[in-house]
Structures are given as C-alpha cells and as structure tokens.
Amino acid sequence: MWKHGSRIAARIAVPMLAAAVSLLVPAATVRAQAPVRSAVARTPVVFVHGYNADPGVWGGLREDLKADGYTDGELFSFGYDTHRSVNEVLAGQLAAYIEGVKRQTGASRVDLVAHSFGSLVTRWYTRHDPAGQVSVAHWVSLAGPNHGTSTAWACALWDQACRDMTPGSYVQKGLASGDETPGSVRYATWWSSCDEVINPDSSVPLTGATNNAAGCLAHNDLLGDDGVSQGVRAFLRS
C-alpha cells in the first residue's frame, strides 16, 4: 500500500526500514476460469496497497464504498510482494489481475485506487501496458511517490522497490517522460503537508491530474481520513 529533518528521524522506521524484516504478502488472485457474469452496476474498484503493507489497509475505504452501495463483488484488492520490481514484475502481475477482474465481473474497465508505492505499480500499467489506458476509468493515488522520494534511499541498498522509489531511478524516468496523465483515464492525487514518507511533498501531484491537498496527515493516515474518503468517492462517481 516522509518529511525531512527531525520528523524523518522520528518516523522513518515505520514504513521504510521495515524492509529489514521483510513482509512477504502473497499475491491475491482472481479465479482464471471464473464464469463471466453480466456487467456489474458500478465500475469495479481495484485497491493496490503500498510498500510493506497488505490488502487489509483498505478496510475503511471499502466499508465507505459499501455504504455508498458498492457490493463485495465490485471491490477487489491486489496483494503482492512489495519488494519486487515495478516494471519487470509487479505491473505485469497487476495487468493479469485486472484481466481476471474484468472476466469475473463482465466489466470493460476498472477504477484503480493506490496508496504510496502502489501508485508506481498502477502508473506503470496505465502508462506502458497497451491495455492499461483502455482498461482503467479512474486512477487515484494517495500519498504516492510519483516523482520519487529521498527517504527511499534508506533501504535502496538492499531492496528493489526502494530503488524504484528513489528520485531519478529507471522507473521514475520511465514515468516522467512525456505526458504524466496519458489517455482517457481520469487521474487524481491526494497529498499531505505532514507526510513523513514522501519527501518532498510536491512529489505526489501530477500534471493533468486533479491534485488535492489533504491537510496535515501522516502518510498512512490518508487511508482512513474521512475527508480523503469523501473526496475519493466523489471522484469515482465523476
């Protein structure tokens, strides 16, 4: 599913140095042979968690969407090993997962909601996979290191995902060239002025996206904030 100065020293260990105790999240799957149903009432939502996290982080937003009328059959969580390469492994796994969701639901497109490192995985898919721009209706990034984050250097020596998040990495260059929000996908980001994980804060917004200031929230607090939830749900309805 990062600020400079003393805030880093106090809080960096939570999301980033946890790589030293690797949390391997088994990839969630959609049954490959699931029968195609008639199209769901709403565009299915696929949640993509961040670094060293798992699909459980989406509990609050899932419940909010269900309160809005979504069913469990319209809400999906992509689980994956967050220590793998964005471009060589994870974006391809996400592509296969989305195709499974489309087969299972009968929908032609999905909405993607990503947190942190998941923003890079989903962006690579929408940017570089031929199916990405036609298979995604809305793309949401909560606290994504969309232009890199200097705090990722803390674990870049031993972790591929951290290297992908560093400013100027191969992944960052591959996402920065040309149009940052290509195709007919609707893009939105939420960023915090008190994010201890993303440094600088200006890494999150994208040219061509609807960029939203979430106020002073910790990195993981964007996942459960009522204002962010309301904004995300309104954007998915747009």
Side-chain angles (χ1 to χ4, degrees):
M1 89 311 164
W2 304 353
K3 293 283 289 183
H4 47 76
S6 60
R7 193 179 301 276
I8 290 179
R11 307 177 72 176
I12 185 176
V14 174
M16 295 305 303
L17 294 185
V21 182
S22 297
L23 172 62
L24 186 64
V25 181
T29 59
V30 174
R31 291 173 297 168
Q33 302 301 320
V36 174
R37 302 185 301 162
S38 58
V40 290
R42 297 170 182 79
T43 302
V45 176
V46 176
F47 298 105
V48 183
H49 61 77
Y51 181 76
N52 251 17
D54 61 53
V57 301
W58 296 111
L61 189 51
R62 284 181 66 97
E63 290 305 310
D64 288 347
L65 286 167
K66 288 171 69 174
D68 282 352
Y70 282 80
T71 67
D72 285 327
E74 295 166 333
L75 301 174
F76 297 84
S77 295
F78 174 62
Y80 62 102
D81 176 1
T82 64
H83 305 286
R84 305 296 298 276
S85 163
V86 165
N87 58 305
E88 294 180 351
V89 178
L90 299 179
Q93 292 179 352
L94 175 64
Y97 185 87
I98 289 173
E99 288 305 307
V101 169
K102 290 164 58 180
R103 286 194 301 270
Q104 181 171 320
T105 61
S108 60
R109 296 192 297 175
V110 303
D111 290 335
L112 289 176
V113 179
H115 178 241
S116 194
F117 177 64
S119 301
L120 302 186
V121 179
T122 53
R123 281 186 69 204
W124 195 276
Y125 168 68
T126 59
R127 179 69 183 271
H128 294 291
D129 191 299
Q133 292 173 33
V134 298
S135 295
V136 177
H138 296 81
W139 176 88
V140 171
S141 169
L142 306 181
N146 293 317
H147 298 99
T149 176
S150 62
T151 320
W153 289 113
C155 53
L157 182 63
W158 65 83
D159 190 274
Q160 181 60 52
C162 290
R163 287 192 288 274
D164 289 348
M165 288 188 279
T166 58
S169 69
Y170 176 86
V171 166
Q172 293 295 337
K173 290 178 180 177
L175 293 173
S177 60
D179 188 354
E180 289 193 325
T181 52
S184 60
V185 181
R186 301 193 65 180
Y187 297 84
T189 73
W190 273 260
W191 62 276
S192 166
S193 59
C194 297
D195 193 327
E196 78 282 10
V197 175
I198 304 303
N199 183 43
D201 300 332
S202 59
S203 175
V204 181
L206 295 173
T207 301
T210 300
N211 299 302
N212 302 275
C216 182
L217 296 173
H219 184 67
N220 288 334
D221 287 349
L222 275 80
L223 290 163
D225 181 73
D226 288 340
V228 173
S229 174
Q230 292 172 10
V232 170
R233 288 178 285 140
F235 177 70
L236 295 182
R237 291 192 296 268
S238 65

